[in-house]
Each structure stands twice: as C-alpha cells, then as structure tokens.
Amino acid sequence: MALLTTEALVLRAYKLGETSKVVVLLTRERGKVRAVARGARGGRPRYQSALEPLSQVRVTLYGRQGAELLRLGQAELLHSAFRVGERGLDAALFLSSCAELLDAFSPEGEADERGYRLALAVLGAVEAGAEPELVGRYLEAWLLRLHGLYPPLDRCAACGTGLPAGRPEYHRPSHGFVCGACGPASGPALAGDVGALLRDVFSQPPEKLTAKARSPVRALESFHRTLVTEHLERDLRSPRVIREATREVAR
Ligand SMILES: [Zn+2]
C-alpha cells in the first residue's frame, strides 16, 4: 500500500546505479523527502520530464513511515518549469538557485505549507514575466523570514531600542541591525533605496515587484548571501555559477 500521494516540486535528482535515480522532492504534505525512482534512467526511461528540476508533480510514495529513503511509484507531471527556463539565461539561473535554496531551507519530513506556496508563487511570477533577479531576492527574503532569520529593521538587535528610519547597519555578532550606541557595526549598512526595495518585497506579491535601478537589487543579494551563509554555515553553489555564467556571456 502506498504511504502517501501528494503534490510536490522536484528539487533535484541524482544517478543511482545503471537504471535508477534518487529524487529529492519538496512535498506539500511532508516537506522534503528522498525517493528512489526505479527505471528513471536507461534506454526507455520511465517518468521522463516529470523528474526535471522544479517540475510540479503528483507523486505516489511507498515505504515505511519515517524512512530516510522512500520509493517513487507514479509521478504525474502537473506543471513543467520548462517555460521558465526558456525565458533566457537569467531565468535559467534563477531556477537553479531556487532549487538549491529550497533544498537548503526545507526541513526533512516536516510539512511546510508556506514554503511550498512561496515556491509556487515565485515560479509562477517568473513564468508570467517578472524579473528573475528581483524574484530571486524575494525568495531569499521570504525563506529567511519564514525561518525566523530576517533581522527586524526597526529594532536594535543588541539593546532593543527603536532604530531611526534610514540606513540600518548590520552587525554580524548580534545577527541584526544595531543602534549607534551598540555599534560600531560590522556592516553592511543598507542604503535608503535598499530599504525601500525590502519594504516592497515584504508587502507585495512577487509578480508586482519592479526595480528602478540595479544597485539596490545587487546590494540586497549580497546582504542575503551574508544571512544565508551565516545560517547554513556554508556557501551556496548557485551564486558562483551565476557569476561565472554572467562573465561568460559578457565575453
Ligand atoms: Zn542598541
């Protein structure tokens, strides 16, 4: 008997033996799970595009409750990320970073409905034409916030007093923004246009975001990277891939 049938997003898949794959899924009902997809490789592969990264699928999973590795039965493709990737290099890079972030932040075997809805919202926004770079910042900001890792912008992380509006200064040892009395802060300080972008990110759906300039988007990227790296205690792979791809295209 099947353990469960659930909607899921494919985060990644890796080879197992000659004919199988292990697929890492972000399921709606049980968070991140790993499952063996028998026959997913070889001459007549089963599943086909259903196991491409960020495919939205309906899967049937077999195995013991709480097992580290389940077995994949049916996988019905509900929506492919192909159209997102087709939008160009930025969108393709967004997909790889999206899959990596979701993988890094999703708890194993624990339902995370808000994380799942967030993933669908950002994929839908980029497919509908939103700017991949901005939507990437949106995804980072919300993943950090949903995990309680986004420092409050209006309160000193060291002494709790209100921070004046303007240019909050981040201090690594305090994991937050600090007031003048608790400084000097290690940085970075977020300039006014970065703060404005961040307010948009936390108050608007991803498809509504627009950026007037590149620099606040880049500043936010670098700040989020600081927060993500501090939390995971490792660097993500995709920012490096993005930098290399951007350089390659510029040549
Ligand atoms: Zn303070």
Side-chain angles (χ1 to χ4, degrees), residues 20-92:
S20 301
K21 281 182 180 175
V22 172
V23 55
V24 182
L25 298 165
L26 179 62
T27 68
R28 184 158 218 156
E29 288 179 33
R30 211 160 290 189
K32 190 164 74 174
V33 302
R34 283 159 217 280
V36 175
R38 287 187 193 151
R41 303 176 56 221
R44 293 183 59 198
R46 212 181 148 192
Y47 304 114
Q48 299 178 349
S49 60
L51 301 187
E52 292 298 314
L54 297 171
S55 281
Q56 189 187 355
V57 286
R58 179 171 292 110
V59 292
T60 307
L61 296 164
Y62 294 85
R64 189 171 43 79
Q65 182 84 261
E68 297 255 320
L69 198 57
L70 300 172
R71 185 167 59 78
L72 184 66
Q74 297 290 334
E76 178 200 346
L77 181 65
L78 301 176
H79 193 88
S80 160
F82 178 74
R83 277 167 191 274
V84 179
E86 224 185 18
R87 288 200 50 222
L89 180 65
D90 281 355

Side-chain angles (χ1 to χ4, degrees), residues 151-164 169 174-183:
L153 292 154
D154 55 353
R155 207 162 9 90
C156 172
C159 72
T161 57
L163 290 176
E169 294 190 35
S174 306
H175 296 291
F177 298 98
V178 292
C179 70
C182 295

